[in-house]
């Protein structure tokens, strides 16, 4: 497999965690969005949105949305499942994960801030206020959901699930941008537990080769 990735991408961070956790080997191919590599025709043939991640499984299968990639990996490599068998718990985990994937991340990514800056002339302070508003909206909902569950090392049990895979990159990004997370003790607890695992550690943005060349 080939994973088109960028160290700064929260979406790709999720996929790296899942690949590592399941022990699936892959070749990372780094896409430099600052240099415009994501808009070159050879990459747009793989992902017409010009976004990362893109997972090339073989010449007949290219998957381009992170959540679709995560579910594909869980179905193809079921040995260390990220979704439990219990259908009710699966629904809870998906609901939790989609807060990050569908609601938080799309509003707070580089292309949004660049558009606000370059096309709308939104000043930095207003862009920062936007970021903080939507980040806190998502984290507050996640914190409430965890508060309704028995306390475990991970979000919904004794092993990581899609909930943890999707939470950790959001928290990492929040910490990197100095967002105050003091109101979210459950999220911070789960984050610490996840970072004790080598699969999560190896997926971190600061460990990626394209980070080192910036």
């Amino acid at each position: 497999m080939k994973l088109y990735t960028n160290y700064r991408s929260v979406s790709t961070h999720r996929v790296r965690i899942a690949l590592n956790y399941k022990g699936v080997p892959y070749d990372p191919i780094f896409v430099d969005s600052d240099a415009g590599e994501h808009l070159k025709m050879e990459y747009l043939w793989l992902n017409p949105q010009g976004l990362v991640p893109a997972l090339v499984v073989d010449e007949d299968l290219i998957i381009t949305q992170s959540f679709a990639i995560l579910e594909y990996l869980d179905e193809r490599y079921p040995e260390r499942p990220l979704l439990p068998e219990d259908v009710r718990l699966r629904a809870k985990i998906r609901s939790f994960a989609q807060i990050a994937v569908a609601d938080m991340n799309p509003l707070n990514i580089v292309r949004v801030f660049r558009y606000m800056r370059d096309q709308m002339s939104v000043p930095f302070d207003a862009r920062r206020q936007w970021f903080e508003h939507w980040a806190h909206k998502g984290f507050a909902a996640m914190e409430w959901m965890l508060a309704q569950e028995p306390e475990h090392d991970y979000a919904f049990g004794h092993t990581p699930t899609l909930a943890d895979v999707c939470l950790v990159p959001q928290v990492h990004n929040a910490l990197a941008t100095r967002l105050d997370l003091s109101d979210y003790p459950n999220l911070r607890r789960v984050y610490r537990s996840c970072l004790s695992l080598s699969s999560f550690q190896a997926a971190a943005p600061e460990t990626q080769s394209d980070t080192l060349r910036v």
Side-chain angles (χ1 to χ4, degrees):
M1 290 187 185
K2 296 179 180 179
L3 177 67
Y4 286 79
T5 178
N6 180 286
Y7 77 96
R8 196 163 51 195
S9 166
V10 171
S11 300
T12 312
H13 189 174
R14 300 178 199 125
V15 175
R16 293 195 302 264
I17 292 171
L19 287 164
N20 292 345
Y21 183 70
K22 288 181 171 290
V24 178
Y26 68 95
D27 294 325
I29 300 177
F30 303 108
V31 180
D32 187 347
S33 57
D34 292 328
E37 291 180 357
H38 61 304
L39 299 177
K40 292 183 178 179
M41 189 55 65
E42 54 264 37
Y43 184 67
L44 292 175
W45 277 110
L46 298 174
N47 186 347
Q49 286 187 288
L51 300 173
V52 291
L55 182 70
V56 179
V57 178
D58 54 46
E59 62 181 15
D60 296 319
L61 180 59
I62 302 170
I63 314 173
T64 59
Q65 288 288 333
S66 67
F67 208 76
I69 294 172
L70 294 177
E71 293 204 303
Y72 169 81
L73 292 173
D74 210 39
E75 292 167 356
R76 181 172 175 182
Y77 303 99
E79 291 79 10
R80 303 186 76 187
L82 291 171
L83 284 169
E85 292 185 5
D86 182 87
V87 67
R88 294 169 64 89
L89 186 55
R90 290 165 74 96
K92 286 184 178 183
I93 290 168
R94 283 191 170 108
S95 295
F96 183 95
Q98 286 289 355
I99 294 174
V101 174
D103 295 332
M104 296 174 69
N105 195 47
L107 294 170
N108 283 339
I109 57 177
V110 171
R111 68 170 180 165
V112 171
F113 297 128
R114 285 178 175 168
Y115 186 87
M116 294 171 75
R117 180 193 66 192
D118 299 338
Q119 304 301 320
M120 302 176 68
S121 300
V122 177
F124 174 82
D125 289 347
R127 299 197 307 272
R128 177 68 187 188
Q129 184 178 0
W130 168 281
F131 167 76
E132 292 188 0
H133 173 80
W134 294 114
H136 283 305
K137 282 283 189 181
F139 284 138
M142 287 175 156
E143 179 70 18
W144 184 89
M145 291 178 72
L146 291 189
Q148 313 311 306
E149 298 294 319
E151 185 173 315
H152 299 296
D153 289 340
Y154 303 101
F156 289 92
H158 299 293
T159 59
T161 66
L162 281 184
D164 306 279
V165 169
C166 293
L167 171 65
V168 165
Q170 293 299 144
V171 174
H172 183 282
N173 183 62
L175 292 172
T177 53
R178 300 182 180 180
L179 188 74
D180 182 7
L181 299 180
S182 58
D183 288 338
Y184 314 119
N186 287 305
L187 298 185
R188 289 186 282 111
R189 169 180 53 79
V190 169
Y191 181 73
R192 289 192 300 269
S193 294
C194 290
L195 288 192
S196 69
L197 302 178
S198 60
S199 53
F200 283 78
Q201 295 167 10
E206 57 270 18
T207 69
Q208 305 307 301
S209 296
D210 54 336
T211 305
L212 303 177
R213 63 187 196 185
V214 171

